């Protein structure tokens, strides 16, 4: 399968950003180990801090991939545009969060994308991405 991993704002800072919440590994480091665990699948990766670029990346999943793993970062809690983009494609999108958003501030308990995603995985650190991948390929 061709799976797109899409990361939203501030996730380019993994490894440096609030390490007690998000850990000390960069996403690029993690991606090497993730790809090695799934050699039979094609995994692409895109990160942007810009909402419109993320909308375009989701639209492209519709024609270029079999599904997507999306960590929309803070846009999870605000973005109708990203929710509409997910609704507009015919491919499954799994919502991912590194932290357990429900154990954090109230504003993180609201997700505009959960209702339009296949499912949601949160709170397992970077392993959330592997669990999301398993759900897409099984
Ligand atoms: C996050 C949780 C969001 O609330 C936050 O804004 C992020 C990261 C996570 O992976 O835990 O940027 O999506």
């Amino acid at each position: 399968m061709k799976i797109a991993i899409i990361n939203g704002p501030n996730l380019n800072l993994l490894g440096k950003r609030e390490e007690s919440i998000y850990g000390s590994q960069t996403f690029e480091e993690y991606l090497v180990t993730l790809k090695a665990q799934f050699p039979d699948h094609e995994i692409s990766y895109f990160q942007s801090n810009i909402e419109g670029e993320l909308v375009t990346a989701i639209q492209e999943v519709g024609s270029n991939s079999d599904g997507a793993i999306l960590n929309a970062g803070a846009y999870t809690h605000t973005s109708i545009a990203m929710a509409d983009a997910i609704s507009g494609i015919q491919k499954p999108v799994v919502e991912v969060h590194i932290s357990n958003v429900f154990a954090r501030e109230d504003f993180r308990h609201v997700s505009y994308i959960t209702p339009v995603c296949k499912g949601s995985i949160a709170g397992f650190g970077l392993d959330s991405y592997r669990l999301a991948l398993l759900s897409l390929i099984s």
Side-chain angles (χ1 to χ4, degrees):
M1 286 180 77
K2 285 177 76 172
I3 304 295
I5 298 178
I6 301 172
N7 273 347
N10 298 305
L11 293 164
N12 55 313
L13 297 179
L14 287 178
K16 292 186 281 226
R17 168 196 187 203
E18 296 180 276
E19 285 184 50
S20 60
I21 298 173
Y22 299 115
S24 55
Q25 199 171 25
T26 68
F27 196 79
E28 287 73 12
E29 286 166 352
Y30 173 72
L31 192 57
V32 172
T33 59
L34 185 68
K35 284 183 173 177
Q37 290 174 75
F38 296 91
D40 298 335
H41 300 279
E42 197 178 314
I43 302 169
S44 66
Y45 173 55
F46 176 75
Q47 188 278 330
S48 178
N49 295 321
I50 301 168
E51 187 175 10
E53 289 185 358
L54 294 162
V55 167
T56 300
I58 294 165
Q59 291 177 359
E60 285 171 359
V61 169
S63 45
N64 298 341
S65 299
D66 298 308
I69 295 167
L70 173 64
N71 186 343
Y75 291 143
T76 303
H77 318 298
T78 63
S79 182
I80 297 168
M82 289 181 73
D84 282 350
I86 297 165
S87 296
I89 62 171
Q90 308 299 318
K91 303 291 169 58
V93 176
V94 176
E95 176 184 9
V96 155
H97 299 286
I98 298 164
S99 64
N100 179 355
V101 284
F102 298 102
R104 300 180 65 190
E105 304 94 321
D106 285 353
F107 66 85
R108 294 186 205 278
H109 302 178
V110 175
S111 169
Y112 281 74
I113 64 173
T114 304
V116 292
C117 283
K118 184 181 180 209
S120 182
I121 297 173
F124 296 94
L126 286 171
D127 202 35
S128 296
Y129 291 86
R130 183 184 64 85
L131 297 170
L133 196 47
L134 282 175
S135 76
L136 282 171
I137 64 179
S138 62

